[in-house]
Amino acid sequence: MPGVAPTTTGGPRRGVTLPQRRLVTGRSQEPRQRFAEELRQLRAGKGESLRQLGERLGWDWSLFGKMEKEETLGSPEVVQALDQHYGTPGLLLALWELAAGDHTQFRERYRRYMALEAEAVSLWHFAVSVLPGLLQTPGYAREVLAAGGIKGAELEQQVKARMGRRELLEGEDAPPFRTILSEAVLRTPLRDAAEWRAQLEHLLEMSSRDNITVHVLPNSAGLHALLGFDVWYLLLPDGRTVVYTENGYRGELIEETAPVVRLQKAYDSVRDLALTPAESRKYILRKLEEVPCGSST
C-alpha cells in the first residue's frame, strides 16, 4: 500500500518530513478571518444567498455580507441568531468572542448560557423590572435597549436579534416556558402608549399558548427570596438544571448542584406568592384597559 510504513510505535520512519498541522484544515488562524470563513462556509452549506439569509433572520442582508467580508463583526445577538439558524450552538459566538478580542463585552459565562438556552427542554424565569426578551415586542425592546445607551444601527441590530430569539418559543417542539413578573414590570409603561398597548396585547396573546405560563407577583406579596435580580432556569436534556442570574451590572451562570437547588426552592416560594395564571391574565387585561388611546402617554 502506498505511503509511509509505520514503526512499531506508530510513528513515521526516520527521514520522512510530515506536513505542518496547520495545513490539515486549511482554515485561517487569524480570529477575524476564521470567523468570516466560518460564516461563508455555513451559508454555502445551506445553499442560501445573502438575501435569503437576511429574509429568514429578519436583518438587512448587507449586514451578513459585511460580516463575511470582515468589514464588521456584528453584534453578539446577531451571532447568536446565526448559531441558532445553522444549528451550531455556541460555535459562532466563541469565534466572535476571539475575533472581537473583548472578553468583557461577551463573557464566557453568558456565551455558555446562550448555548445552553438553545438546548433547554424547559425554561422558567423571574423578572424584577423588565419583561423577558422572549416576550418583548420590537417597540418594547427598542426602548429598553435605548435606555441602556445603545443607539443608531447597533440599536436596530440588537432589536432584530432579540426578536429572533422569540423563535425559541414557537413551533410544535417549543419548550415550556414559565415566567413570574414582578408587578413593577407591568407598572412601568413605555413612553409611547400605542407601543405599550401593543406590548400588553402581545403578552396576553403569548400567555394563552399551551407552552407559556405567565404569573404576576403583586407588590402586596412583600419581601421575597428573589428580590433584586432576574433569574433564568434551564432544564437540560441530560436532566441537569442550570441557573443564570442577572442584575444591571453583571450576570452569572450557576451550575453547581447546591446553589441551583437553593435557587429552585427560592423560585418555588415566590411562585407560591404569585397570582395564578388566570388571575394574572385578568391583571394584565386591567393594565391594558388603563392605557390611553392616544399615540403617547
Side-chain angles (χ1 to χ4, degrees), residues 23 58 61 95-96 233 254 268 280 284 294:
L23 298 180
W61 64 270
L95 294 175
W96 179 92
Y233 301 77
I254 302 170
D268 289 342
S280 298
I284 298 168

Side-chain angles (χ1 to χ4, degrees), residues 74-143:
S75 69
E77 287 192 291
V78 171
V79 179
Q80 191 273 337
L82 285 167
D83 256 333
Q84 185 174 345
H85 178 68
Y86 290 129
T88 55
L91 171 64
L92 292 177
L93 286 171
L95 294 175
W96 179 92
E97 187 178 51
L98 291 172
D102 185 357
H103 296 273
T104 62
Q105 184 176 5
F106 203 79
R107 295 181 184 278
E108 171 68 20
R109 287 172 295 188
Y110 185 64
R111 180 173 66 81
R112 176 162 168 73
Y113 166 77
M114 295 301 286
L116 292 173
E117 183 187 79
E119 301 173 5
V121 297
S122 181
L123 307 89
W124 56 108
H125 165 263
F126 173 73
V128 172
S129 58
V130 177
L131 284 167
L134 294 176
L135 298 180
Q136 292 179 10
T137 60
Y140 188 95
R142 185 173 291 105
E143 189 162 319

